[in-house]
């Protein structure tokens, strides 16, 4: 409000400006959900499993850096080697 007690509107945007401003926010496309049959789910799943497999191979080849000595005693090396080659 200004000194006379009336509402000051010179800094408020006009109706046209408000519509232009908010129409860009409203008209943005909504993200689509994953649907069965498009191949995106299997693609994401294969990338996830590939990263996990790569991590397992790196842990197997460099156990002194990526595993603890207590854990190395627990797992049998021959079974892990067979699982990684399968």
């Amino acid at each position: 409000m200004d000194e006379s007690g009336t509402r000051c509107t010179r800094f408020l945007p006009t109706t046209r400006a408000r519509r232009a401003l908010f129409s860009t926010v409203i008209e943005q496309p909504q993200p689509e959900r994953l649907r069965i049959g498009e191949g995106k789910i299997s693609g994401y799943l294969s990338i996830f499993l590939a990263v996990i497999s790569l991590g397992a191979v790196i842990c197997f080849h460099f156990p002194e850096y990526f595993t603890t000595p207590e854990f190395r005693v627990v797992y049998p090396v021959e079974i892990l080697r067979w699982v990684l080659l399968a």
Side-chain angles (χ1 to χ4, degrees):
M1 293 197 178
D2 60 1
E3 295 85 25
S4 64
T6 60
R7 188 172 176 188
C8 182
T9 60
R10 77 181 124 164
F11 296 112
L12 294 176
T14 62
T15 305
R16 180 180 286 170
R18 270 187 266 146
R19 283 186 191 148
L21 178 67
F22 293 120
S23 67
T24 58
V25 175
I26 293 172
E27 293 176 6
Q28 290 180 353
Q30 298 296 324
E32 293 184 18
R33 293 187 57 155
L34 293 176
R35 290 183 290 212
I36 295 176
E38 292 182 353
K40 290 182 183 179
I41 296 172
S42 62
Y44 292 138
L45 184 63
S46 66
I47 290 172
F48 173 73
L49 291 176
V51 169
I52 295 295
S53 298
L54 180 65
V57 169
I58 289 174
C59 286
F60 184 72
H61 283 293
F62 304 105
E64 62 273 4
Y65 299 117
F66 297 107
T67 60
T68 62
E70 296 86 18
F71 183 66
R72 280 181 244 146
V73 174
V74 175
Y75 64 84
V77 176
E78 289 301 319
I79 293 176
L80 282 179
R81 185 173 288 139
W82 183 80
V83 167
L84 288 175
L85 290 174

